[in-house]
Amino acid sequence: MKFWNKYHKAYNKFVELSPSYNELLNLVVKNLKLRNSDIILDAGCGPGQISKKLLDMGHEVHSIDNSKKALKLLNEKHKNAKLYHADLGNKLLFPNNLFDRIICINTLYVFKKKHLHLIVKEFYRIIKKGGIIVVTDPLKSFKNIKIFKNDCRLFFKNYGFFRGLFFIIKNIKIYIILLYFNKIIDRKAKGGFYNFFSVKDYISLFSKNNFRVINSQIVYAGQNIMLIAIKD
């Protein structure tokens, strides 16, 4: 947990900064097809960038994470956030059919394979019939450097060459720290401690647990798979 607390401290700055990440969040929100009355679960919320985004839009959001540091960072962003300190690998304390929407961003990959089906079964239990879940995780071919390169391209596109270059230099420390942390994560993934996904395995994980997959696509500078599924 010490590793993840340190990671979230740097990641919190990155998610506020990165245009690639914020494009990903916008795509997640678009695919949720939200209604005003929807109750949303942000499962593995981290420092809570998308929770804050949805709260600012006026939605009811419940945010769960196993890192107290991450939850503290989210609470600093939005004082009305509903926070839960819990491990997704265990049975959740939510009642059946509570949520209209579930989002799970860059979270499932940190669990061992034996836990993944249990987690998705819990998602199925707590989401309402007709509810939509949007999940995204790293592909097996994931390379963090490609996200950095895409961010650089977007900085230049959005701000022009000189302002973009200044922005990159000003924030390069955050990228270096995250590249270091992601090297550790990548090494553990290769050792079987974490799980980066193939498209086939990701779709199978949800299909085998009764969700109907309605779409999947490659996102986040080509480094993640995003899946949209529904509970019939």
Side-chain angles (χ1 to χ4, degrees), residues 12-205:
N12 182 52
K13 295 179 181 178
F14 167 78
V15 297
E16 294 177 347
L17 166 73
S18 167
S20 298
Y21 187 83
N22 284 283
E23 281 186 349
L24 174 64
L25 297 194
N26 289 335
L27 193 57
V28 169
V29 172
K30 178 182 176 181
N31 281 287
L32 284 171
K33 302 186 185 305
L34 290 166
R35 304 161 300 185
N36 291 337
S37 60
D38 283 338
I39 303 173
I40 306 162
L41 175 67
D42 185 0
C45 62
Q49 191 71 357
I50 195 164
S51 283
K52 180 184 183 300
K53 186 181 185 74
L54 293 167
L55 285 164
D56 288 344
M57 292 168 64
H59 294 291
E60 180 179 342
V61 184
H62 299 250
S63 306
I64 182 172
D65 204 279
N66 196 31
S67 167
K68 290 183 178 179
K69 176 66 176 178
L71 294 173
K72 181 181 178 182
L73 290 167
L74 171 52
N75 192 49
E76 289 171 359
K77 291 178 182 178
H78 206 295
K79 298 301 181 184
N80 294 324
K82 297 180 179 180
L83 307 177
Y84 303 85
H85 179 236
D87 187 343
L88 290 177
N90 298 324
K91 185 176 176 62
L92 301 176
L93 298 178
F94 301 115
N96 295 351
N97 309 309
L98 174 63
F99 296 103
D100 299 282
R101 302 289 186 266
I102 295 176
I103 49 178
C104 188
I105 299 175
N106 289 341
T107 297
L108 294 181
Y109 78 92
V110 307
F111 290 92
K112 293 183 178 180
K113 290 182 179 178
K114 64 181 180 180
H115 295 300
L116 291 174
H117 285 280
L118 296 174
I119 294 168
V120 178
K121 284 180 188 297
E122 276 294 276
F123 288 164
Y124 190 84
R125 179 184 68 80
I126 63 177
I127 198 169
K128 294 177 184 176
K129 185 175 181 179
I132 294 173
I133 182 168
V134 179
V135 292
T136 180
D137 277 286
L139 289 161
K140 286 186 180 293
S141 58
F142 179 89
K143 294 188 184 300
N144 192 260
I145 190 67
K146 290 189 176 181
I147 295 170
F148 171 66
K149 289 179 178 179
N150 194 59
D151 273 358
C152 290
R153 180 184 66 81
L154 291 171
F155 285 141
F156 290 134
K157 178 183 176 182
N158 295 337
Y159 301 113
F161 179 78
F162 291 107
R163 285 186 65 202
L165 184 61
F166 172 77
F167 209 70
I168 293 165
I169 294 171
K170 179 182 177 182
N171 295 288
I172 192 67
K173 182 180 178 181
I174 299 300
Y175 285 97
I176 291 171
I177 292 170
L178 273 180
L179 284 168
Y180 167 73
F181 282 141
N182 278 281
K183 282 286 184 183
I184 296 173
I185 291 170
D186 187 54
R187 188 163 62 245
K188 288 190 174 184
K190 289 177 180 176
F193 193 79
Y194 298 138
N195 294 285
F196 290 176
F197 292 90
S198 70
V199 173
K200 180 180 178 181
D201 288 343
Y202 208 57
I203 292 173
S204 175
L205 173 62

Side-chain angles (χ1 to χ4, degrees), residues 205-220:
L205 173 62
F206 285 83
S207 297
K208 286 183 177 179
N209 288 289
N210 300 315
F211 280 103
R212 176 167 58 88
V213 176
I214 56 178
N215 191 18
S216 64
Q217 52 191 287
I218 305 303
V219 296
Y220 201 27

